[in-house]
């Protein structure tokens, strides 16, 4: 099985997701700027995986700090966190991970730089391990939403590649299959970066999961033909009212699902919920390079100098969301109440079904 991201011999190793599915190349990052650049360039992507990469990148950066005392260390550490925060704007897991790493420094006021460095590495490793556990727990809850012989549509990649492992939306599908259910997946290709065709199709096929690839504009047709029983996607940031920012095109799928009376589920860890943002309108939406739209693998597919828009995410209004699966349970409407309740509730250690 592939590893999305790993802390190995004091380096960060990541599978280069830009090259999948054609090449399985692992890159080793020895310093913090390398990891920041890898996040920016989407060597690693997907909200939880970005969070893990940020934490490991910060741990790498902190390990390399040369400082006489704690004050100098803290100043340099802050700068590393600031640079990391500027890599990608939408997935809140990035900022959540940075906050957690900052908490290590703040929470240990007596420790000397060398001891702090060690603690920061431990924290990054912990975030990595926890992410897999969280996804498994999410899967246990989410599996209940999937009936035997269901056909599930997903958009983008919310799988092992978008997390430390197992996945959020794909984790729920994996859990349903582990529970003995027969599940078929339809994967939207997800223009322009093709996370669906390159990544979701690749990792589901590796697991032997029955997967059918469609282009994004085929989803409505499939729903009308009654070939889809439910939709499940991941999220990059969920506002307090349940509005969901996720890969561009998710909103269109949610509208289609409503029209065809198909449940639309979101699976995301508590770290993706941003209670400080009331409505989805306030979620910053990343605008990416025009070349992602005008080219495929460096081959132009549009006229030179054509005007281009390339928002990487959209916001699905909460009214279109049937339920949100988290590692602490399933949130239903009104989301203001249910999300807040889950966010403050203690983690579920062992969920007996
Ligand atoms: O631009 P990306 O590939 O980082 O966007 C990823 C998504 O939108 C995912 O659906 C989301 O992060 C959920 S991943 C568990």
């Amino acid at each position: 099985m592939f590893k999305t991201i790993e802390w190995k011999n004091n380096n960060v190793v990541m599978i280069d997701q830009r090259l999948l599915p054609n090449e399985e190349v692992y890159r080793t990052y020895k310093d913090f700027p390398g990891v920041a650049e890898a996040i920016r360039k989407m060597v690693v992507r997907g909200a939880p995986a970005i969070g893990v990469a940020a934490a490991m990148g910060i741990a790498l950066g902190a390990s390399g700090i040369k400082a006489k005392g704690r004050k100098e260390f803290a100043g340099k550490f802050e700068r590393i966190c600031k640079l990391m925060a500027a890599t990608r704007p939408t997935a809140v897991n990035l900022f959540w991970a940075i906050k957690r790493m900052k908490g290590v420094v703040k929470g240990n006021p007596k420790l000397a730089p060398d001891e702090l460095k060690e603690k920061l590495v431990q924290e990054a490793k912990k975030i990595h391990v926890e992410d897999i556990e969280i996804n498994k727990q999410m899967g246990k809850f989410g599996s209940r939403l999937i009936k035997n012989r269901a056909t599930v549509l997903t958009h983008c990649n919310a799988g092992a590649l978008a997390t430390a492992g197992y996945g959020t939306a794909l984790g729920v599908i994996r859990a349903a299959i582990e529970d003995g259910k027969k599940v078929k997946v339809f994967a939207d290709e997800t223009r322009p970066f093709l996370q669906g065709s390159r990544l979701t199709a690749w990792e589901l096929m590796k697991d032997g999961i029955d997967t059918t690839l469609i282009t994004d504009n085929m989803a409505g047709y499939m729903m009308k033909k009654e070939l889809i029983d439910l939709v499940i996607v991941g999220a990059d940031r969920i506002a307090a009212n349940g509005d969901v920012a996720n890969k561009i095109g998710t909103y269109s799928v949610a509208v289609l699902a409503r029209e065809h009376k198909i449940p639309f589920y979101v699976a995301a860890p508590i770290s993706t919920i941003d209670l400080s943002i009331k409505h989805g309108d306030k979620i910053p939406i990343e605008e990416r390079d025009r070349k992602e739209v005008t080219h495929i693998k460096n081959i132009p597919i549009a006229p030179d100098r054509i005007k281009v828009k390339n928002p990487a995410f959209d916001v699905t209004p909460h009214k279109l969301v049937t339920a949100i699966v988290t590692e602490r349970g399933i949130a239903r409407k009104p989301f203001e109440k249910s999300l807040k309740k889950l966010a403050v509730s203690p983690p579920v250690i062992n969920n007996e079904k």
Side-chain angles (χ1 to χ4, degrees), residues 134 137-145 172 238 266-270 273 323-332 335 338-339 341-343 345-349 351:
I134 283 169
Q137 189 60 48
M138 210 183 301
K140 285 186 185 163
F141 283 120
S143 168
R144 298 172 189 171
L145 303 171
V172 168
I238 301 174
V266 175
I270 295 292
I273 300 168
I324 300 173
V325 184
T326 76
E327 72 275 26
R328 295 186 193 166
I330 298 178
R332 293 190 184 264
F335 290 117
S338 57
L339 290 177
K341 200 170 157 204
L342 287 178
S345 71
V348 178
I349 310 296
N351 166 42

Side-chain angles (χ1 to χ4, degrees), residues 253-262 318-321 333:
V253 176
V255 172
L256 283 169
R258 173 57 54 100
E259 170 68 17
H260 295 90
K261 300 185 174 52
I262 294 167
H318 60 93
K319 67 172 188 187
L320 299 178
V321 178
K333 288 169 188 144

Side-chain angles (χ1 to χ4, degrees), residues 124-192:
K125 285 185 183 171
K126 203 166 157 218
I127 290 174
H128 182 260
V129 171
E130 280 176 13
D131 188 58
I132 301 172
E133 285 167 5
I134 283 169
N135 293 335
K136 295 257 168 94
Q137 189 60 48
M138 210 183 301
K140 285 186 185 163
F141 283 120
S143 168
R144 298 172 189 171
L145 303 171
I146 301 185
K147 290 200 181 95
N148 190 24
R149 302 198 176 279
T151 300
V152 182
L153 175 72
T154 192
H155 189 74
C156 193
N157 173 265
L161 286 164
T163 60
Y166 203 67
T168 56
L170 298 192
V172 168
I173 292 169
R174 287 190 164 101
I177 293 169
E178 284 162 21
D179 285 344
K181 295 173 212 174
K182 285 208 160 56
V183 181
K184 288 186 179 171
V185 180
F186 273 69
D188 278 349
E189 72 170 347
T190 319
R191 278 278 290 150

Side-chain angles (χ1 to χ4, degrees), residues 48-244:
I50 291 171
V52 175
M56 289 189 175
I58 289 170
L60 262 188
S63 304
I65 291 177
K66 289 193 173 54
K68 289 205 183 75
R70 211 193 131 94
K71 199 166 168 216
E72 195 185 348
F73 177 87
K76 289 185 173 170
F77 177 77
E78 273 299 318
R79 197 169 147 63
I80 287 170
C81 291
K82 203 170 164 198
L83 290 170
M84 193 54 94
T87 50
R88 293 193 72 191
T90 305
V92 74
N93 308 61
L94 171 75
F95 308 99
W96 169 88
I98 294 171
K99 198 170 163 196
R100 232 177 106 161
M101 296 301 276
K102 281 184 178 179
V104 172
V105 176
K106 276 200 200 111
N108 293 286
K110 299 241 154 65
L111 291 191
D114 279 349
E115 294 165 301
L116 278 177
K117 288 178 187 179
E118 186 48 39
K119 277 238 180 283
L120 286 162
V121 171
Q122 293 314 325
E123 189 71 2
K125 285 185 183 171
K126 203 166 157 218
I127 290 174
H128 182 260
V129 171
E130 280 176 13
D131 188 58
I132 301 172
E133 285 167 5
I134 283 169
N135 293 335
K136 295 257 168 94
Q137 189 60 48
M138 210 183 301
K140 285 186 185 163
F141 283 120
S143 168
R144 298 172 189 171
L145 303 171
I146 301 185
K147 290 200 181 95
N148 190 24
R149 302 198 176 279
T151 300
V152 182
L153 175 72
T154 192
H155 189 74
C156 193
N157 173 265
L161 286 164
T163 60
Y166 203 67
T168 56
L170 298 192
V172 168
I173 292 169
R174 287 190 164 101
I177 293 169
E178 284 162 21
D179 285 344
K181 295 173 212 174
K182 285 208 160 56
V183 181
K184 288 186 179 171
V185 180
F186 273 69
D188 278 349
E189 72 170 347
T190 319
R191 278 278 290 150
F193 208 69
L194 305 174
Q195 287 94 332
S197 58
R198 295 190 306 99
L199 310 177
T200 296
W202 182 77
E203 68 163 86
L204 291 183
M205 278 186 78
K206 257 188 180 292
D207 271 5
I209 296 173
D210 185 333
T211 307
T212 303
L213 176 65
I214 57 171
T215 62
D216 300 332
N217 50 1
M218 294 175 189
Y221 175 83
M222 298 301 158
M223 289 184 190
K224 192 147 187 290
K225 288 275 176 195
E226 297 183 357
L227 293 171
I228 309 290
D229 297 310
L230 63 116
V231 178
I232 187 156
V233 296
D236 289 84
R237 197 184 293 225
I238 301 174
N241 70 344
D243 290 351
V244 174

Side-chain angles (χ1 to χ4, degrees), residues 307-324:
K307 284 199 280 181
V308 168
K309 287 286 285 174
N310 186 15
F313 303 94
D314 59 27
V315 176
T316 298
H318 60 93
K319 67 172 188 187
L320 299 178
V321 178
T322 311
I324 300 173

